[in-house]
Amino acid sequence: MTPSPKKRLTFLLSLAATATFLAASVHADNETPNKYASEPVNEPEFYGSPASSISSGVSVPAGMSYLWTSGTVPPVINKDGKTIYEKYGDTKTQGTGILKEIEKRLKDKGLSLSDVIYLRVYVAPDAAKENKFDFNGWFEAYAQFFGTEDNPVKPARSTIGVPRLVSSEWLIEIEAVAVYPKKPNN
């Protein structure tokens, strides 16, 4: 049974539309530049705005080993302190103390802050700041260790305001992720 002329025309038009769509798709794919590097990533690559104090993201090549720290809390700066500020300090002081502790832990594993690719930071409200988060205090502490002449690395980072930490005396807690450098000839 032969299809009617109207059905043949409908079939041919839909066939032509499909062919046109496929040809346009292939053409568009050939003209769209690849967003990913054509060369393999051999060491961690940080990307984002050069003006930002943090990276938007980090590419880490396959086969590299990571070190993840648990949440690190502020060290006691004065065990006889009567207030949280005397005992642990404000957010900036606590953040600075934590980053120094993380730096020590990394050194024990053969790493440094320049190997850090990611930080997750929890900031609690500060009673001395009308129970507001002292993000600026944290940013000032961070700026002493990252994006500096000594350590130009700007890790990817999340900073999260939380209602409180495990101890009401802590204003900040930090987790770090570092990557072991590849050994030569690897």
Side-chain angles (χ1 to χ4, degrees), residues 72-75 77 88-104 113 137-145 172 174:
T72 306
V73 298
I77 57 174
Y88 293 99
D90 61 5
T91 302
K92 179 180 177 182
T93 302
Q94 290 187 21
T96 300
I98 292 170
L99 290 173
K100 287 179 180 177
E101 289 295 315
I102 290 172
E103 189 172 39
K104 286 183 211 170
L113 289 175
W138 156 237
F139 299 155
E140 289 174 18
Y142 169 88
Q144 295 175 43
F145 296 87
I172 187 167
I174 303 173

Side-chain angles (χ1 to χ4, degrees), residues 27-179:
H27 179 71
D29 283 346
N30 289 336
E31 289 194 4
T32 303
N34 190 344
K35 293 190 291 187
Y36 303 101
S38 58
E39 297 296 317
V41 177
N42 294 311
E43 60 184 34
E45 291 182 2
F46 298 84
Y47 62 91
S49 170
S52 178
S53 62
I54 64 174
S55 292
S56 298
V58 183
S59 296
V60 177
M64 292 193 82
S65 297
Y66 293 82
L67 176 96
W68 300 72
T69 70
S70 291
T72 306
V73 298
V76 174
I77 57 174
N78 177 1
K79 66 181 169 90
D80 298 321
K82 304 287 184 238
T83 68
I84 68 169
Y85 306 101
E86 291 173 359
K87 195 171 182 181
Y88 293 99
D90 61 5
T91 302
K92 179 180 177 182
T93 302
Q94 290 187 21
T96 300
I98 292 170
L99 290 173
K100 287 179 180 177
E101 289 295 315
I102 290 172
E103 189 172 39
K104 286 183 211 170
R105 291 180 189 175
L106 292 171
K107 187 175 181 182
D108 289 345
K109 294 294 187 179
L111 296 166
S112 72
L113 289 175
S114 64
D115 298 308
V116 172
I117 61 164
Y118 182 74
L119 295 172
R120 181 175 297 117
V121 183
Y122 303 95
V123 179
D126 184 344
K129 306 255 182 197
E130 300 175 359
N131 283 321
K132 293 183 179 174
F133 301 106
D134 185 10
F135 293 118
N136 285 333
W138 156 237
F139 299 155
E140 289 174 18
Y142 169 88
Q144 295 175 43
F145 296 87
F146 296 99
T148 66
E149 191 173 313
D150 290 337
N151 181 19
V153 168
K154 299 186 295 184
R157 182 183 83 200
S158 298
T159 300
I160 306 152
V162 296
R164 68 165 276 169
L165 297 167
V166 172
S167 169
S168 61
E169 296 181 307
W170 299 337
L171 299 172
I172 187 167
E173 181 175 334
I174 303 173
E175 301 169 1
V177 178
V179 174

